[in-house]
Each structure stands twice: as C-alpha cells, then as structure tokens.
Amino acid sequence: MSDVVNYPKHYEDIAATITIQPHELLKDFDFYLGNCFKYLFRYKNKGNPKQDLEKAQWYLNHFLYYATKKQYKNYKHILSDRNLIFVAFCDNPAVDFLEIWDLCLSPKKNLKTLNLWIKNRINDYI
C-alpha cells in the first residue's frame, strides 16, 4: 500500500526527476500563490488537467489583485535564482509551466506571463 499522504501519486513525475517535494518550495508562499503553484505542479498527473489549470488561474488572479508591494518584495527572493529550490524546479522538465519563467524579470512580470501561459493551456483543453 502506498503512502498517499506523504507521497501522493500526482507528484511522482516531479519527484522522479528532482529530490525535493513541491511543499518544500510552497511553504514560503502565501495562500493564493501557494495554491496556484500546487495546482500547476500536479495538473498533468491528477486526472483533470483543465480543472487544475482553472483553479491555478483563479488563485493566481486573486494573488495578482490583492498582492502588496511587500509581498512582491518577499517573492523577489523566493522566486529567483538565489533560491536553489526554485532553480531546481525551473530546471525540471516535468514542471513545464516554468519554461516561461525568466529569472532576470521581476516576480510581478513573471506572474503575469504565467497567467497568460495558464490561459493558453486551458484553451488547449477546450
């Protein structure tokens, strides 16, 4: 019997290519952005990719609407090449949404680009 609490099946592809779990990165995120990334990490493996992408977009839209300058300043360090956990995710082919991430840009610009990427992926499932 597998341990679905500590090692959920929908994160196996990610775990097979990197040795850290998504929660190690997400622990530093707020509720909205953490949930957005959670759904993006698993959207291909959970069974309903369109729904997971829609949920990710919903949470990202709320973050973009409510985020403060202080939050963006904090994320500048979390979502950067100085955070080795984040860099590991960026280099992981199983996490395809980070292909658009530019570590030289601000988190706000990257999150807006990510929002467009999610919209395009949702349209792929229509």
Side-chain angles (χ1 to χ4, degrees):
M1 185 169 137
S2 65
D3 181 357
V4 297
V5 172
N6 293 307
Y7 304 101
K9 182 163 178 44
H10 48 273
Y11 293 129
E12 283 181 3
D13 287 345
I14 297 169
T17 55
I18 55 177
T19 59
I20 55 177
Q21 292 290 320
H23 68 85
E24 293 178 63
L25 174 64
L26 301 178
K27 68 180 172 51
D28 295 324
F29 287 23
D30 79 335
F31 179 78
Y32 291 120
L33 200 54
N35 275 307
C36 169
F37 276 84
K38 173 186 76 174
Y39 285 110
L40 289 174
F41 284 134
R42 70 184 201 187
Y43 85 93
K44 291 190 285 182
N45 303 314
K46 188 92 193 289
N48 193 338
K50 183 175 183 261
Q51 184 180 57
D52 277 350
L53 287 166
E54 289 171 338
K55 288 178 180 180
Q57 188 171 44
W58 188 90
Y59 282 109
L60 181 55
N61 283 334
H62 277 71
F63 176 81
L64 291 170
Y65 184 79
Y66 292 110
T68 64
K69 288 181 182 180
K70 183 178 179 183
Q71 284 176 297
Y72 281 118
K73 186 177 179 180
N74 291 340
Y75 285 119
K76 185 175 183 178
H77 301 290
I78 297 169
L79 302 174
S80 77
D81 58 354
R82 289 174 277 196
N83 182 344
L84 297 180
I85 295 173
F86 187 69
V87 170
F89 279 102
C90 287
D91 290 340
N92 184 339
V95 185
D96 64 342
F97 67 90
L98 291 174
E99 67 193 14
I100 55 91
W101 204 270
D102 184 342
L103 291 170
C104 297
L105 294 178
S106 72
K108 188 172 188 174
K109 287 180 183 176
N110 275 317
L111 291 171
K112 287 183 177 186
T113 302
L114 179 60
N115 205 5
L116 292 173
W117 183 92
I118 295 169
K119 180 181 177 182
N120 290 333
R121 287 298 185 276
I122 290 170
N123 289 335
D124 291 345
Y125 289 99
I126 294 177

